[in-house]
Amino acid sequence: MILLIDADITAYQAAVRAEEEIQWEEDIWTIHSDLAVAKESMIHNINKYREELKVDEYKLCFSDSENFRKSLNPQYKGNRKGRKPVGYKPLKEWAMESHPSFSKPTLEADDCLGILATKFKDTIIVSMDKDLLQIPGKFYRIGVDGTGELLEITEKQGTEFFLTQCLTGDVTDGYAGCPGIGPVKAEGLFKKHGFAWKTVEDAYIKAGLTAEDALLNARMARILRADDWDFKLDKMILWKP
């Protein structure tokens, strides 16, 4: 068994904890960060997950600086304007050099987690991100309070979550989904017509959009699996229904 840790989140949290405000004069403040504190915090969290799940082996999954979804849809995550915490970049570089890690060109950490989890099976994904509910297998979902819940996602549950996101979209990530369809209406459509791609496509067409619009939203929503990555060519395979 191996833990697949969402290192984007782990590093971000560690870098935030290492930040400290300093007042130099009455109206002059700066933010200081001690990288040693950030490293210690990140190691603490990694070890915490290992102890809670009783698994020693782990791999840190990081996002690449480029993102293939933005090339498909420039609005993807366009509303995220906040800064990274001070020291995040050198902390990430240190973690990738000194710990087992995995990152691929144009992929997000979620995609790396999904690819490894569906290729090797004997894994536990560790993350706060609900999008990973579409990946079959073990998922240790971390809450905002730091506590975790170990879930077992079936293939059926993963597919249903993915298809639901194709309809509802994700405002936080900057893709709208099908106009007028939220979780309740999506549930009703799938209950009536079945969990199938045709149900998604028909909903978009009925809303005055196209099959291409449905496919674009699906590619925004889909967390990559092993079948979506060409290991020989080291490149992503765009999802097709």
Side-chain angles (χ1 to χ4, degrees), residues 6 8-9 62-82 84 88 106-111 127 129-132 165 169-176 219-223:
D6 186 337
D8 281 1
I9 292 175
F62 283 101
S63 296
D64 186 48
S65 57
E66 301 294 326
N67 189 324
F68 80 86
R69 291 178 179 85
K70 288 186 178 180
S71 67
L72 299 175
N73 176 12
Q75 302 303 316
Y76 182 72
K77 291 190 175 178
N79 57 346
R80 297 193 180 185
K81 304 296 185 183
K84 285 285 197 300
Y88 176 83
T106 76
L107 300 190
E108 296 182 67
D110 287 359
D111 299 309
S127 178
D129 199 329
K130 66 175 176 54
D131 293 344
L132 290 157
Q165 279 196 304
D170 191 326
V171 176
T172 303
D173 283 345
Y175 64 97
R219 287 172 172 171
M220 297 298 102
R222 186 172 177 82
I223 303 301

Side-chain angles (χ1 to χ4, degrees), residues 36 50 53 62 65 67 90 92 101 103 107-108 166 188 196 203 211 214 217:
R50 294 166 72 194
L53 295 165
F62 283 101
S65 57
N67 189 324
K92 176 179 176 179
S101 62
S103 181
L107 300 190
E108 296 182 67
C166 292
N217 276 271

Side-chain angles (χ1 to χ4, degrees), residues 200-217:
V200 174
E201 198 172 76
D202 287 349
Y204 274 83
I205 292 171
K206 186 175 180 180
L209 299 177
T210 66
E212 288 73 22
D213 293 317
L215 181 58
L216 177 60
N217 276 271

Side-chain angles (χ1 to χ4, degrees), residues 35-230:
L35 192 58
V37 173
K39 291 177 180 178
E40 183 179 349
S41 177
M42 190 165 183
I43 291 171
H44 171 79
N45 274 353
I46 292 170
N47 288 335
K48 174 187 171 185
Y49 302 144
R50 294 166 72 194
E51 291 169 7
E52 288 175 347
L53 295 165
K54 297 178 173 56
V55 177
D56 286 331
E57 191 175 356
Y58 66 94
K59 193 173 289 288
L60 305 180
C61 292
F62 283 101
S63 296
D64 186 48
S65 57
E66 301 294 326
N67 189 324
F68 80 86
R69 291 178 179 85
K70 288 186 178 180
S71 67
L72 299 175
N73 176 12
Q75 302 303 316
Y76 182 72
K77 291 190 175 178
N79 57 346
R80 297 193 180 185
K81 304 296 185 183
R83 67 171 179 84
K84 285 285 197 300
V86 176
Y88 176 83
K89 184 177 179 181
L91 179 64
K92 176 179 176 179
E93 292 171 349
W94 163 81
M96 293 185 72
E97 291 173 0
S98 56
H99 292 261
S101 62
F102 184 80
S103 181
K104 290 294 181 181
T106 76
L107 300 190
E108 296 182 67
D110 287 359
D111 299 309
C112 295
L113 294 165
I115 289 169
L116 293 179
T118 51
K119 182 175 177 62
F120 296 108
K121 308 300 182 183
D122 289 332
T123 63
I124 302 175
I125 290 176
V126 180
S127 178
M128 299 177 68
D129 199 329
K130 66 175 176 54
D131 293 344
L132 290 157
L133 290 169
Q134 63 180 266
I135 300 298
K138 291 183 173 64
F139 176 25
Y140 190 62
R141 188 175 181 187
I142 309 298
V144 293
D145 61 355
T147 61
E149 178 185 13
L150 185 59
L151 307 172
E152 183 81 40
I153 312 299
T154 66
E155 184 75 37
K156 180 175 181 289
Q157 289 172 328
T159 299
E160 290 179 355
F161 188 88
F162 164 62
L163 290 173
T164 299
Q165 279 196 304
C166 292
L167 281 180
T168 61
D170 191 326
V171 176
T172 303
D173 283 345
Y175 64 97
C178 188
I181 297 185
V184 174
K185 191 167 184 179
E187 182 180 0
L189 285 172
F190 287 125
K191 186 175 182 180
K192 182 177 181 180
H193 302 291
F195 276 96
W197 176 248
K198 188 176 187 304
T199 304
V200 174
E201 198 172 76
D202 287 349
Y204 274 83
I205 292 171
K206 186 175 180 180
L209 299 177
T210 66
E212 288 73 22
D213 293 317
L215 181 58
L216 177 60
N217 276 271
R219 287 172 172 171
M220 297 298 102
R222 186 172 177 82
I223 303 301
L224 301 190
R225 303 184 182 190
D227 291 343
D228 302 312
W229 185 258
D230 188 322

